[in-house]
Each structure stands twice: as structure tokens, then as C-alpha cells.
Amino acid sequence: MNFRSPNLKARAKSLILKWFDGSSQPPEMRGKLALGVDRFVDEIAKRNSWSECMTILLGDHSAPQFQASGQGWRVVPCQKGLAVSTVVPGWGFGWRKALRDEYVYDVLSWLGHYARQYIHRSHVAKVLMIAWERDRAVLHPFGSEAHSCRYGAVTPPVLPRMALSTAVEDSVSRWGGVEAAPRSRSRWTRRNTFDPAVHQAVFHFLRGQSLLSAGFELEALVAIDCVLQSLQTIGWTSVVGDPRRSRSDLITTLGMHQNDAQLAEHVYFLRNEFAAHAGGWRWWDTVEHVDGDLMERASDMALRVLNHAADAEPTVRRINPEPDNWSDWLMDSFPLLFSAIWFRAG
């Protein structure tokens, strides 16, 4: 395990117990949970050869047809939709022997489940953005059908490429094969959707497109502004300016045009005056402020900001999307990951 693991384990335990102390948990379970965290971390370290290949079916027969892949993920078109397979650490199963207390098992097995689910959904986010780029398609991230295979506990471990090849064969068998589809050259195949800010911005952007297509302009406006709000939380530590201060500062840091900065501030103003809070003036005329032209320009601006921020992310990287050792990755990334996947205290 990572040579820094004693300190990293203590940090993880501190965050979990801080959540425990701030929420309505049974006080008598605190000591058991603390011991359980030690066993959880030790068990994670033993599972480097454990993995799970998760596959979901996005869209339907009318979904965009393309192929794409990266380290740990692959997407292929099937007759029923897009099959997205991801290889994740084996953290979502096999906890009964390690965590015998029912309360401790309930808390920490869910933690393992959510951590591996975050990895899976980070890969899926890439595919969702590629589908939007290609066909302006908004696909539901959970998928309509799924299958999975676990390796390491009972079935012998395999290399990720083997697990993905098996998953593709299973997908074609279940959902029907199609003729060879073009391979995507989108930059999203390489962008780091493991960063919670980028990941969240993708969610808000696609949610905004879905709301806009359904005629909910004000709600879409909020989602569009949330794209920028999310991206302000990237670890901007070694850049000129302060992207956290305002939407326009973020856009300036990314080297984008001042027209985008002005539009971003206008969208933020409309969000505050009409969408998030009841405006004190001309509330009957909201539609005049969120017409089709504005929404199209705002949507395009948010996409450009998202693309620029995702391309700038490697310069301020906080979380590794392709680690050699997943247990070390979990400990290294725990504060960032915990805040993204776990429940708020209280």
C-alpha cells in the first residue's frame, strides 16, 4: 500500500467520523465504526486484483452509433442502443466477512459501492458528452438495461482489456450487433471527468439541454449557470486571477472572449433575479429575458467554458483518472471523493 497510508488512513477515518458526529447516528456505534474503517481500508488494499466490469445500455435503437474507448472503458453500438462498459475496482461486493457488525457493514459497504459507482459514472460522462457533440443527443446516464461480471473473489482476475472484450461480446449477444460504426475522435475520450467539478458540470450541462428541449427555459437557465458554478470549484491554485470570484473571472482565466464573460454575468443575473429568487421588477416579462436566442447563446457559451475548463484541468490536476493502484488512489483522493459521493451531515 501507499507508504503514506497511515496518515491517509487517519485522514479518511477523521472525515467519516466527522460525518458520524454531525448526523443523527447511534452514538454507541462510533467506536465500532472507527475500527471498521481500519478493516475497510486494509481490505481495500488486499483487493488490487478484484474488479467488476459494469455495462449499461444508453438510449435506444435511435441512439448515436459510434465506438470509443480508453483505459478502463469501452462503448460499442448495439441494435438496442449504446453499450457502455467500464472496469471498476471490486469494492461493491464481498464485505460480509470483513465487516461483521450490521451497522458498520451498512455504512462502509455503501461507501465502497458509491466509490466504485463514481468511477463508473465518470467514464459514462465521457460517452454522454460525445453523444451530445455528435448528434445533440441527451442520453439518460443510468441506462435502461445492464449486466456485469465480477472478478477476483470467485472468478479468477483478468486484465481490464479482457474484461471489456468479454463485456462487448455479452452486450452484442443480449442487445444485437450492428455494422461497424465510426470511432469517435472527440477530445472527451481524454478529458478527465473524474474531477468532481468537471463531472458535475457535465451533469448540469446535459440537464440544461434536457430542460430546454422540454420548454423549461428558466430551469434550463439555472442549470446552464450551474455549469460555470461547478467549474469554479476546480483546484485553481496556479493560475492568473481568481476563477472562484466570479463567472467573468473564470472565463478570463480560461482565455476566452470578453463577450462570453458579459453573457455569463448576464445569465447569472437572470438566475438570481428570476429563477432562484422572486424578482422585484417586471416578473410578468420573464419570457422576454429568456427568449430562444438568449438560451442558444447561453448554452453555446456554457459548452465552450466546459470544454476550455476540461482542457485546462491537467494543469491543476487533483485526481488521477488512470491510477496504477486503486487502493492508493482511494486514499490519495479520499477527501475530494468523499465530499462528492457521501451524504451531508445533519
Side-chain angles (χ1 to χ4, degrees), residues 40-301:
F40 178 84
V41 173
D42 292 343
E43 180 67 18
I44 287 287
K46 298 174 184 177
R47 294 189 176 196
N48 284 331
S49 64
W50 287 32
S51 65
E52 183 176 3
C53 190
M54 305 170 62
T55 302
I56 59 172
L57 182 69
L58 296 183
D60 53 29
H61 67 278
S62 63
Q65 294 197 349
F66 60 89
Q67 300 181 59
S69 62
Q71 183 173 313
W73 64 279
R74 189 176 299 175
V75 54
V76 296
C78 294
Q79 290 179 10
K80 293 186 70 174
L82 278 176
V84 183
S85 299
T86 67
V87 176
V88 300
W91 299 340
F93 57 93
W95 288 108
R96 281 291 179 188
K97 290 183 179 179
L99 306 172
R100 296 183 182 277
D101 181 87
E102 192 64 29
Y103 173 81
V104 174
Y105 169 83
D106 186 54
V107 172
L108 297 181
S109 64
W110 277 111
L111 179 61
H113 163 75
Y114 288 135
R116 72 81 150 98
Q117 185 181 67
Y118 184 84
I119 295 168
H120 165 73
R121 289 181 177 173
S122 295
H123 289 316
V124 171
K126 298 174 184 289
V127 180
L128 297 175
M129 287 306 298
I130 296 170
W132 170 258
E133 278 187 345
R134 285 179 53 89
D135 292 70
R136 292 298 186 261
V138 179
L139 304 178
H140 196 290
F142 294 169
S144 56
E145 298 182 41
H147 63 82
S148 67
C149 187
R150 296 170 175 176
Y151 300 95
V154 178
T155 305
V158 298
L159 294 174
R161 66 174 182 271
M162 298 283 292
L164 290 170
S165 294
T166 300
V168 168
E169 293 174 1
D170 196 1
S171 295
V172 170
S173 174
R174 292 167 180 261
W175 301 322
V178 298
E179 295 183 4
R183 176 166 292 277
S184 173
R185 299 184 181 276
S186 170
R187 299 181 74 167
W188 280 105
T189 61
R190 301 180 300 278
R191 286 171 175 153
N192 185 13
T193 44
F194 277 61
D195 187 289
V198 177
H199 191 150
Q200 188 182 62
V202 167
F203 166 81
H204 285 303
F205 176 77
L206 294 174
R207 179 171 175 268
Q209 304 312 309
S210 180
L211 288 166
L212 194 55
S213 67
F216 296 103
E217 287 85 3
L218 274 181
E219 291 79 3
L221 189 80
V222 173
I224 287 171
D225 183 66
C226 282
V227 173
L228 276 66
Q229 182 177 333
S230 298
L231 296 171
Q232 286 182 285
T233 66
I234 288 180
W236 303 111
T237 55
S238 56
V239 296
V240 177
D242 184 6
R244 296 173 181 266
R245 184 170 53 192
S246 68
R247 310 299 195 261
S248 57
D249 283 318
L250 170 67
I251 288 175
T252 299
T253 296
L254 294 173
M256 297 175 62
H257 200 277
Q258 274 303 111
N259 288 344
D260 289 317
Q262 294 171 5
L263 178 57
E265 291 294 348
H266 184 58
V267 169
Y268 180 57
F269 165 78
L270 292 176
R271 172 188 178 179
N272 287 330
E273 286 294 322
F274 292 107
H277 308 287
W281 53 279
R282 296 184 64 82
W283 56 86
W284 287 107
D285 301 322
T286 301
V287 68
E288 295 181 6
H289 298 283
V290 291
D291 60 21
D293 176 65
L294 171 71
M295 295 307 298
E296 183 176 356
R297 290 189 295 113
S299 178
D300 289 344
M301 176 272 296

